[in-house]
Amino acid sequence: SGSGLLTVQTGGDAAIARLAAGELRLNVMGDLTEVGADSDADLVALQQLSLSVAGALGHSGRYGKALDFSAPSLALSAGADVALRGLGDTALGQASFSGLGASISLRTEATTGQAGDLRLAQDLDASAVGTVHFSAAGQLTQAAQTTLSVGAGPLTLRAGADLVMEAGATISGESA
């Protein structure tokens, strides 16, 4: 825990209880899950959280458990299902999903002083995955001049406040 840079690299699966730093970078060659089932942030970054995971992030599905994080900025690369829950406001920057038919779920929740806004800040290619679900307790925004590309599976965008597509933002998808 602190304000510096913390980099963690594993050769296989990783289960974490809590990691905190100013900037947090995780490179996991397997699945990344949390130890236990609490509602506190397992990954805390004061500036930037970067996740590169060859396997699944959290546990998806009806009885799954999302990996909880708190960071104003998130970079994400995943090779399988993604189940993430952000505590507070966050901006999703660079993101790539390579899990053919995977399920992607990213949701934010309000905390003291933050509405739980989610900003899709850069182009996002999710055309290889099966389902995409972005949910914000507050405002959900797609940044100007960005493209959200999805495959034939369902896309869900849910906002507790406004759903905003800034000037030039586009969503493209394949027909089923």
Side-chain angles (χ1 to χ4, degrees):
S1 180
S3 60
L5 168 65
L6 175 62
T7 301
V8 176
Q9 185 163 342
T10 70
D13 295 344
I16 59 161
R18 182 173 166 87
L19 291 174
E23 183 175 349
L24 184 54
R25 297 179 188 163
L26 275 78
N27 184 358
V28 178
M29 298 309 294
D31 295 341
L32 177 60
T33 57
E34 77 169 280
V35 175
D38 59 34
S39 60
D40 297 327
D42 307 301
L43 302 171
V44 178
L46 300 177
Q47 291 95 31
Q48 171 80 31
L49 174 60
S50 299
L51 300 173
S52 178
V53 180
L57 241 166
H59 294 288
S60 63
R62 183 174 182 179
Y63 299 105
K65 172 65 177 98
L67 187 63
D68 303 317
F69 74 94
S70 175
S73 180
L74 173 66
L76 176 61
S77 173
D81 291 346
V82 173
L84 283 173
R85 181 177 73 118
L87 303 176
D89 301 339
T90 198
L92 177 61
Q94 182 179 354
S96 65
F97 307 106
S98 58
L100 187 62
S103 171
I104 307 301
S105 175
L106 172 59
R107 63 187 170 102
T108 57
E109 293 188 4
T111 59
T112 303
Q114 295 189 356
D117 294 342
L118 176 59
R119 181 174 183 81
L120 306 178
Q122 294 185 15
D123 290 338
L124 186 107
D125 184 0
S127 57
V129 303
T131 62
V132 178
H133 179 93
F134 293 119
S135 176
Q139 181 171 295
L140 176 58
T141 303
Q142 183 179 351
Q145 306 301 320
T146 60
T147 299
L148 172 57
S149 301
V150 295
L155 166 66
T156 304
L157 301 175
R158 183 183 156 273
D162 295 330
L163 178 59
V164 177
M165 291 182 68
E166 294 179 344
T170 59
I171 297 174
S172 67
E174 298 174 13
S175 299

